[in-house]
Amino acid sequence: VTEQPVEDVERLQRWCKRHGIVISPLGSSQQREAIAERSMEEYWASVVEDDPQAFAADVVAEHLLANNQTDLLLDLWLTFVPPLAFIGPPPGSAPALDLRTLSYFAEQGIDTSNFSPDSLLPPIPADRARQAKLESAMPEERSSGKGLFGRLFGR
Amino acid sequence: MNSAGVGLSLTAIGMRPLRDALAIADQLRAPLGLDFLELGIGVSCHVNDDYGTWPLVLHDSCLSAGNPDRSLRCHFDLLDTATWPVYRAFVASHQVEAMSVHAPLRTRTSAAGLSDAVHRCSDYLGLPVMVEVMPEVGRWCSSAVTLVDVPLLVDVSHVHIWSCGDEVASLELVEFIIANHHVAGLHLSHNDGKSDSHDLIPEQVWFANRIDHWMKGRRVTLESLPTSLAEHRRLDQTRSRWNRQSNHSLSEPSINESAPSNSLGRSHAGTTNTDSRNTACKTSRNVA
């Protein structure tokens, strides 16, 4: 995974500030508990220091989604992709958040087809063409009946 | 020491006394060609219990200690060395082949800190230590971009949650992880991509065609049983199935139908519960 330049993170921080976004402790109860005694500045700094990319990918997006600020999520995407690669993964990698976010957009009825043409994001598999393609690229190893599933299902 | 093979997690046959769970495991050992037993959440595994001739794998905070009638779970924290000794003592007196742990919250340590902790823990226990990929954002190893350079335990159902149940994306993600990281083990179970429900594994599950390829040279643990062995499923799943049927007047559910979680996102299995959100899928999750 490519490290994101610090200036990109700082740019993202400025973007958040401009939009009045104050990142507060989000996520799991354990997460909240873990940072309960830390100031917001410390939390922010520690997240950025530990993993700028994760900060960019998760913290801001989670905040926006949690607060129904999907318009800003779109703007965030369009502003920072590809420079920050906020959602776009490195070439050849399989994205995780990308799919989650795309799924979210799809659920909201947002047309994702106009997003960056250079985007590395795979489209939402609206049809099963990709499934067929994938299966054709992957041999049917199970058919011998001697593999794990052969044992599990008595074949 | 073996670094590959097929094992059965007690979680798959849990919510029973250890004695009963071991009897089922013994019964399935030869037919399924099981190489090891994984101690996990769902069955109380006391440090003084007899695990027979099974080679063991320890999963997260699986052990309990103290008065057998009122034993307490021994919390294991990769980042807290004070929690390690009881596990080392158990390893010293049993045939333990490996240990796997949940990836910690990113707020607790850096990637380098996690890697260092894994290596120190592995040295301390004298075992391979694997870090499990997690379904919750906020933890290390909870997405393709938060994976850490340590031996990984890929729970395919956690990955399925990353992709919100998109089977093709889940396949691609697992392929990506295996191609780019050190994957030492796999956890197998089934879910709908929304919660870690540990459903029975149907014959046509999304990873069926690839598992024989993925498992080469790795430990593979069944965290839920195949539908063909439904009679041994976790007892609570059997109960909840009927409770749900009576509560909602449902027709007979299929045997591989998802086990429900309650409104608090709390697992019926007593598995480690988390209250995190999948920001896109908007679901609660349970983790084991």
Side-chain angles (χ1 to χ4, degrees), chain B residues 17-83:
Chain B
L18 177 66
R19 180 183 62 252
D20 296 348
L22 285 175
I24 293 172
D26 288 340
Q27 181 184 337
L28 299 178
R29 189 170 187 169
L32 297 187
L34 299 174
D35 301 298
F36 63 87
L37 186 69
E38 184 168 301
L39 307 190
I41 295 166
V43 174
S44 178
C45 301
H46 198 279
V47 292
N48 294 330
D49 280 327
D50 180 5
Y51 297 93
T53 60
W54 282 98
L56 301 174
V57 168
L58 308 181
H59 182 54
D60 215 64
S61 302
C62 63
L63 296 177
S64 60
N67 185 326
D69 295 331
R70 299 173 65 184
S71 62
L72 297 174
R73 184 171 299 282
C74 302
H75 176 60
F76 185 88
D77 185 343
L78 190 60
L79 304 178
D80 182 0
T81 56
T83 65

Side-chain angles (χ1 to χ4, degrees), chain A residues 70-96:
Chain A
T70 53
D71 53 335
L72 290 180
L73 186 60
L74 275 169
D75 185 66
L76 185 67
W77 184 341
L78 295 173
T79 303
F80 288 94
V81 175
L84 185 59
F86 156 61
I87 292 171
S93 70

Side-chain angles (χ1 to χ4, degrees), chain B residues 25-266:
Chain B
D26 288 340
Q27 181 184 337
L28 299 178
R29 189 170 187 169
L32 297 187
L34 299 174
D35 301 298
F36 63 87
L37 186 69
E38 184 168 301
L39 307 190
I41 295 166
V43 174
S44 178
C45 301
H46 198 279
V47 292
N48 294 330
D49 280 327
D50 180 5
Y51 297 93
T53 60
W54 282 98
L56 301 174
V57 168
L58 308 181
H59 182 54
D60 215 64
S61 302
C62 63
L63 296 177
S64 60
N67 185 326
D69 295 331
R70 299 173 65 184
S71 62
L72 297 174
R73 184 171 299 282
C74 302
H75 176 60
F76 185 88
D77 185 343
L78 190 60
L79 304 178
D80 182 0
T81 56
T83 65
W84 296 2
V86 66
Y87 285 82
R88 180 157 83 166
F90 185 84
V91 168
S93 57
H94 294 78
Q95 188 184 350
V96 181
E97 295 191 334
M99 181 163 187
S100 55
V101 296
H102 292 164
L105 292 170
R106 292 204 308 272
T107 51
R108 295 189 62 208
T109 187
S110 64
L114 172 56
S115 179
D116 180 60
V118 169
H119 288 110
R120 284 193 296 128
C121 183
S122 182
D123 289 343
Y124 179 82
L125 296 177
L127 289 173
V129 172
M130 302 174 278
V131 175
E132 183 173 27
V133 303
M134 302 299 287
E136 321 142 73
V137 293
R139 287 184 183 270
W140 287 110
C141 305
S142 62
S143 69
V145 296
T146 55
L147 294 171
V148 178
D149 186 22
V150 295
L152 295 176
L153 171 66
V154 175
D155 186 312
V156 298
S157 285
H158 291 178
V159 174
H160 200 43
I161 291 171
W162 295 6
S163 65
C164 298
D166 181 328
E167 297 180 351
V168 178
S170 298
L171 279 170
E172 291 175 341
L173 279 163
V174 176
E175 297 281 350
F176 166 78
I177 298 170
I178 286 177
N180 293 279
H181 294 273
H182 176 199
V183 176
L186 296 146
H187 267 180
L188 305 185
S189 69
H190 177 53
N191 66 37
D192 61 1
K194 294 177 181 174
S195 63
D196 194 22
S197 49
H198 287 220
D199 301 339
L200 294 172
I201 301 171
E203 191 168 6
Q204 302 301 327
V205 72
W206 58 271
F207 53 82
N209 287 0
R210 294 301 289 161
I211 188 58
D212 288 339
H213 174 68
W214 293 344
M215 66 189 283
K216 287 173 184 166
R218 301 184 174 97
R219 288 187 180 82
V220 177
T221 303
L222 297 169
E223 271 207 312
S224 61
L225 291 173
T227 52
S228 56
L229 297 170
E231 69 269 28
H232 300 306
R233 73 191 310 185
R234 269 172 22 204
L235 281 182
D236 62 307
Q237 287 186 324
T238 306
R239 292 195 200 103
S240 61
R241 175 181 172 218
W242 289 106
N243 287 342
R244 185 172 48 157
Q245 187 175 9
S246 59
N247 289 340
H248 302 288
S249 301
L250 295 176
S251 57
E252 175 73 13
S254 62
I255 200 67
N256 62 349
E257 190 172 344
S258 298
S261 298
N262 66 22
S263 58
L264 297 175
R266 196 169 293 279

Side-chain angles (χ1 to χ4, degrees), chain B residues 259-275:
Chain B
S261 298
N262 66 22
S263 58
L264 297 175
R266 196 169 293 279
S267 165
H268 292 293
T271 53
T272 302
N273 189 49
T274 56
D275 185 30

Side-chain angles (χ1 to χ4, degrees), chain A residues 50-51 54 58 62 65 93-95 99-100 104 125 130-131 134 138 140-142 147-148 151-153 155, chain B residues 32-33 106 137 140 142 144 162 166 168-169 171-173 176 201 203 209-210 212-213 227-228 279-280 282:
Chain A
D50 284 354
D51 188 343
D58 284 352
E62 185 166 345
L65 288 167
S93 70
L99 293 164
R100 297 189 203 179
Y104 177 80
R130 290 181 68 225
Q131 174 81 53
L134 192 71
M138 295 180 176
E140 180 82 10
E141 297 177 6
R142 192 162 47 101
L148 178 61
R151 275 185 273 167
L152 296 183
F153 291 95
R155 287 187 279 105
Chain B
L32 297 187
R106 292 204 308 272
V137 293
W140 287 110
S142 62
W162 295 6
D166 181 328
V168 178
L171 279 170
E172 291 175 341
L173 279 163
F176 166 78
I201 301 171
E203 191 168 6
N209 287 0
R210 294 301 289 161
D212 288 339
H213 174 68
T227 52
S228 56
T279 55
K282 294 179 180 294

